[in-house]
Amino acid sequence: MFLDNLSRRRLLGLGLGALAIGTAGCGGGGGPKQAQAPATTAAPTAYTGPSVSLKFWNGFTGGDGPVMKKLVDQFNAEHQNIKVSMNVYQWADYYAKVPAAVSAGQGPDLGIMHVDSVATNAARQVVLPLDDVANALSLTEADFSPPVWQAGVYKGARYSIPLDVHPLGMFYNKAVMKKAGLDPEQPPKTGEEYLAALEALKKAGIQGHWATPFPFTGSMQFGTLLYQNGGQLFADDASVSRFAEDPGVQALTWLVDLVNKGYSPKNVGQDADFIALQNGKAAFNWNGIWSINTLKEIKDLEWGVAPLPQIGSKPAAWAGSHQFVVFKQRTPDQNKLTAAKVFINWISGHSLEWAKGGQVPARKTIRDGAEFAALKEQATIGTQIDYLYFLPSVAGIGDASAVVDQAINAAILLKKSPKDALTEAAAKADKILEANRKKYGA
Amino acid sequence: MVAISVKETPAVAARVPRSGKATPYLFLAPYLILFCVFVLAPALFGIWVSLHDWDYMLEGKPFVGLDNYTALFDSQSPVYGDFWMSMRATGIFTLFSVPFLVVLPLGVALLLNRPFRGRTLFRGLFFAPFVLGVAVVCLMWRLLLDPNLGLVDWILGTPIPWTTATPWAWIALVGVTVWWTLGFNAVIYLAGMQDIPRELYDAAKVDGAGRWGEFVHVTLPGLRPVALFVVTTTILASANMFGQSYLLTQGAPGGETRTAIMYILQQGLREYKMGSASAMSYLLTLVLILVSVANFRLFRSRS
């Protein structure tokens, strides 16, 4: 389970060692010249050309890996003239490797990126614009949902096609709720209900919600509460940070109060909040949809999942999204591009299988279908689709959000007051945003 | 054929002095080539990179002169606070881990150098953790040291936040590192001890030296070259610490245990600010060179 989670720790991914700096530096001698994206023609959803093989890279090292492998095998069996071979790396390695490989002319043909990395890689010309793919496949916003679809647009061009979204949900331990006299079939939905439940748990000697200071999933919980309070992490154009404004201070104060009021222990370690839920030491854990399969594997654990409670003035939930991207090649190959489109469309159309791995399909027709509704847990978390938020689609936005992680860490560990931590972080983030504008162009 | 070879013999003989001059260089060549290609060239290239706003995928890599360096000394720059906090973290870790990693293995080596039953087993036991990968070591200790769920606090009956608050996090990081790498230095010391001539001990005994006398006047001086190696490599290894902080504490609280290498990696590989990362690397290198030179001087002046 830990390695599973680790693979998702892409947000913190720093690569595996100084060696990588060396290789990155070496490969840097001849950066690719600004090659215009090849003018691709609209493609059909079937490929009739000569046999091609496609290299498909991704970071599905957890329980999602075998699911994708199965889909790829099925695709290969159904398409005699396309052979897709899949390579899997740890996400951290993947994000360091892919640009280096593309720069060396050894890049894969297509891959997956998290939505908050798309803009950066678009600006760095690692990935190709895909408007024509969307057109060729007749994909539009209506096929997905507005936030998910818009998240792949950078400077007016589309660079990615959504595969799934993976939001936070509220996981709860039914046995623990019963112990505190709470109805396990009626998990709290509002702020008042939530605090009342925590109070009841406290009286029963249980710390109900462990406030974790680490990005997984403390930063995601903070972001969720911030948006629920009507705030934003950054301005839409990322010109300035906005997380230190009142909604942010309120959101972080709410989390820190969980510790101060004794609803959460102090000094929660990495993953300890999730372990506490499994061990019956906590009642609630706001965690990613990917936790479903982990919890299913634990015998005798009575658990449920619900949409996140609405603590603030409006519903909101953190979410990530895996998106298809096509990598830039030194010599573009029309046949490969066409085959890649066929592949993306086919997988997207079969994403119900993908959903079983613990994801919400991005494609609306699949999400609305009876078969997805039958995946009870996924469907429950999926109901939040219309109020998910993503980071703005701005190059280098991850650099600034890393600063927020540190502020949340210091505040929940009671090293700094929420306001001070956020204000200091905002000053730093604004400088980083400014430096990024200079680097990537406003 | 024979005739030809006989004829050529004098010529070959005449060339011997010349090829003799080249011989050492030929022997050095494989290493030199690798050194130049993989160490010297990237190092020089790094200086070039550090003078630019460098992203290897971007076409524009504007020359910025010494900006990347001056930013490290300008309290208004976005990197100043984090960089020096990370240098401080590296300094703290080095300062506290090196003495333990130099002295404890010496004690272990002294014990393991005596003849006793099961000596090989104990040698193996002390060395065993070193063969584990950093990920294994840190994931295991992260669970054992968890402030609320960990076995260590449960056994001690304490609520110590081993991984989330200083100074406990430093104790945990140094402790885990010592546990993990102690065996390596011990093996180096052991090898060094076995190189000390037996006669010296016999002579010391004749002169009436006790155990302590033997240790101070024979073992320690005999280990000087080995100790120099151990101290230097341990300082460098500690100054390059990355995995333990990354996995055990994730830099918590608020980045206080984020080491310089961790921050440089973030700048260079996550934020693709390779110019800035290179400048930081060079500053760190400079500090380490100064420390190493001081270290060599210290050992030389004693001898």
Side-chain angles (χ1 to χ4, degrees):
Chain A
M1 184 208 74
F2 280 93
L3 288 173
D4 256 36
N5 276 351
L6 200 69
S7 71
R8 297 195 168 88
R9 294 180 180 266
R10 192 196 56 73
L11 283 169
L12 300 154
L14 293 172
L16 273 188
L19 187 68
I21 279 195
T23 34
C26 287
K33 292 283 162 280
Q34 179 121 24
Q36 284 303 309
T40 47
T41 50
T45 48
Y47 172 72
T48 51
S51 289
V52 290
S53 56
L54 296 175
K55 282 183 284 178
F56 173 40
W57 287 14
N58 60 58
F60 297 131
T61 51
D64 39 13
V67 181
M68 184 52 85
K69 182 82 181 66
K70 224 178 96 192
L71 280 170
V72 168
D73 288 344
Q74 195 187 337
F75 174 85
N76 283 337
E78 289 180 21
H79 297 78
Q80 294 305 321
N81 50 356
I82 307 175
K83 165 108 181 60
V84 178
S85 55
M86 183 165 114
N87 264 353
V88 181
Y89 301 95
Q90 294 281 340
W91 282 118
D93 290 352
Y94 170 87
Y95 281 104
K97 248 182 191 119
V98 159
V102 168
S103 141
Q106 303 286 323
D109 298 291
L110 69 162
I112 299 281
M113 278 198 179
H114 291 84
V115 66
D116 48 348
S117 293
V118 172
T120 308
N121 284 284
R124 301 180 73 229
Q125 300 177 52
V126 175
V127 297
L128 292 176
L130 293 180
D131 280 306
D132 66 313
V133 176
N135 290 339
L137 300 174
S138 320
L139 293 175
T140 63
E141 184 170 298
D143 294 312
F144 298 90
S145 86
V148 182
W149 184 243
Q150 288 307 324
V153 175
Y154 172 67
K155 287 193 176 172
R158 161 161 308 281
Y159 284 88
S160 62
I161 308 283
L163 167 65
D164 63 41
V165 288
H166 36 271
L168 284 193
M170 181 176 73
F171 293 87
Y172 52 93
N173 185 318
K174 292 185 180 178
V176 174
M177 287 178 75
K178 272 184 238 164
K179 215 188 289 176
L182 299 168
D183 181 354
E185 304 311 321
Q186 295 293 324
K189 290 193 177 65
T190 66
E192 294 87 67
E193 285 174 24
Y194 199 72
L195 290 177
L198 290 177
E199 191 59 41
L201 286 156
K202 188 181 168 185
K203 288 201 178 103
I206 297 157
Q207 290 167 316
H209 178 147
W210 287 31
T212 178
F214 295 97
F216 273 77
T217 54
S219 297
M220 300 165 183
Q221 298 183 21
F222 166 74
T224 298
L225 291 165
L226 164 80
Y227 279 79
Q228 286 195 355
N229 288 340
Q232 278 183 293
L233 281 162
F234 302 98
D236 288 330
D237 58 356
S239 51
V240 287
S241 65
R242 293 190 51 195
F243 53 80
E245 294 169 9
D246 282 345
V249 176
Q250 286 160 17
L252 193 51
T253 305
W254 191 88
L255 283 172
V256 172
D257 276 351
L258 294 178
V259 180
N260 287 332
K261 289 177 182 165
Y263 301 144
S264 161
K266 288 179 188 171
N267 295 303
V268 175
Q270 291 175 60
D271 291 323
D273 52 334
F274 190 48
I275 299 173
L277 179 85
Q278 298 166 39
N279 291 355
K281 286 183 182 274
F284 307 113
N285 181 218
W286 300 8
N287 214 318
I289 188 169
W290 55 81
S291 307
I292 290 174
N293 287 349
T294 310
L295 293 175
K296 271 188 182 164
E297 281 167 18
I298 303 169
K299 266 193 221 158
D300 305 328
L301 180 68
E302 298 173 63
W303 63 281
V305 62
L308 293 176
Q310 185 186 325
I311 309 288
S313 54
K314 62 180 192 183
W318 174 92
S321 168
H322 291 125
Q323 310 231 341
F324 281 109
V325 289
V326 173
F327 295 108
K328 198 165 100 174
Q329 305 295 327
R330 284 209 175 144
T331 45
D333 181 333
Q334 274 315 311
N335 287 330
K336 282 192 169 193
L337 265 174
T338 311
K341 291 172 196 178
V342 173
F343 177 76
I344 291 174
N345 187 50
W346 188 92
I347 296 278
S348 171
H350 286 73
S351 52
L352 179 71
E353 283 306 308
W354 182 238
K356 291 176 187 164
Q359 309 283 345
V360 179
R363 206 125 167 194
K364 196 164 185 295
T365 47
I366 293 172
R367 219 168 48 233
D368 291 346
E371 281 180 282
F372 180 67
L375 299 172
K376 204 180 77 200
E377 290 89 5
Q378 280 89 330
T380 305
I381 295 181
T383 56
Q384 306 175 104
I385 187 100
D386 291 322
Y387 49 82
L388 304 177
Y389 75 89
F390 298 105
L391 290 175
S393 194
V394 172
I397 194 71
D399 312 351
S401 64
V403 175
V404 190
D405 294 341
Q406 260 190 40
I408 294 164
N409 185 277
I412 297 184
L413 291 174
L414 308 180
K415 296 279 287 184
K416 287 178 187 163
S417 78
K419 193 171 172 58
D420 290 351
L422 290 174
T423 310
E424 283 170 33
K428 210 188 287 177
D430 287 344
K431 285 179 196 162
I432 292 174
L433 293 173
E434 193 190 323
N436 279 349
R437 270 198 301 282
K438 212 189 282 174
K439 177 180 163 181
Y440 294 109
Chain B
M1 294 300 263
V2 174
I4 290 168
S5 72
V6 167
K7 252 189 202 167
E8 276 193 352
T9 307
V12 170
R15 270 206 302 268
V16 164
R18 259 199 290 158
S19 69
K21 266 183 200 163
T23 309
Y25 298 100
L26 283 173
F27 274 107
L28 279 174
Y31 177 78
L32 270 181
I33 290 169
L34 290 177
F35 176 80
C36 288
V37 172
F38 291 108
V39 178
L40 195 62
L44 294 175
F45 183 57
I47 295 179
W48 178 248
V49 167
S50 74
L51 301 176
H52 295 76
D53 194 351
W54 191 284
D55 180 331
Y56 68 97
M57 288 303 289
L58 292 183
E59 201 192 355
K61 300 178 179 67
F63 179 80
V64 295
L66 293 174
D67 281 7
N68 284 327
Y69 291 94
T70 51
L72 301 179
F73 297 98
D74 168 14
S75 62
Q76 294 307 306
S77 80
V79 292
Y80 175 85
D82 282 338
F83 176 69
W84 288 107
M85 185 158 71
S86 74
M87 286 292 272
R88 181 171 167 268
T90 294
I92 290 175
F93 180 79
T94 310
L95 202 64
F96 287 97
S97 66
V98 170
F100 288 107
L101 284 171
V102 168
V103 174
L104 280 183
L106 181 63
V108 169
L110 280 172
L111 286 175
L112 292 178
N113 201 31
R114 310 166 143 266
F116 64 95
R117 270 174 72 85
R119 186 172 71 163
T120 318
L121 173 76
F122 281 99
R123 283 184 179 180
L125 278 184
F126 276 104
F127 191 71
F130 189 72
V131 302
L132 296 175
V134 63
V136 178
V137 168
C138 291
L139 280 179
M140 180 180 84
W141 279 104
R142 196 174 89 197
L143 282 179
L144 291 172
L145 293 171
D146 187 282
N148 295 294
L149 304 164
L151 196 65
V152 173
D153 273 337
W154 184 75
I155 289 172
L156 296 177
T158 50
I160 295 174
W162 293 108
T163 56
T164 54
T166 48
W168 306 107
W170 287 122
I171 296 172
L173 287 167
V174 168
V176 168
T177 307
V178 169
W179 174 82
W180 179 36
T181 61
L182 171 148
F184 181 76
N185 283 352
V187 165
I188 306 279
Y189 279 128
L190 261 178
M193 282 174 192
Q194 277 150 18
D195 271 353
I196 300 173
R198 231 6 293 153
E199 305 89 82
L200 292 180
Y201 287 99
D202 295 338
K205 272 206 191 84
V206 171
D207 287 346
R211 282 257 163 78
W212 178 249
E214 278 182 21
F215 174 68
V216 173
H217 298 292
V218 181
T219 311
L220 274 189
L223 283 178
R224 178 161 291 144
V226 173
L228 173 64
F229 173 81
V230 167
V231 170
T232 309
T233 53
T234 306
I235 289 177
L236 294 182
S238 290
N240 284 321
M241 193 271 268
F242 160 70
Q244 294 95 306
S245 276
Y246 181 58
L247 294 162
L248 205 61
T249 65
Q250 243 180 55
E256 276 186 60
T257 60
R258 179 169 66 181
T259 58
I261 295 287
M262 215 168 139
Y263 186 57
I264 290 170
L265 229 63
Q266 178 179 338
Q267 277 281 304
L269 287 183
R270 248 200 72 199
E271 306 189 1
Y272 309 111
K273 288 163 187 152
M274 276 118 190
S276 172
S278 302
M280 291 174 191
S281 314
Y282 272 97
L283 202 60
L284 179 64
T285 309
L286 188 70
V287 171
L288 291 182
I289 288 175
L290 291 178
V291 170
S292 297
V293 167
N295 187 22
F296 269 91
R297 284 257 164 94
L298 205 68
F299 272 81
R300 197 188 296 153
S301 66
R302 273 195 206 151
S303 56

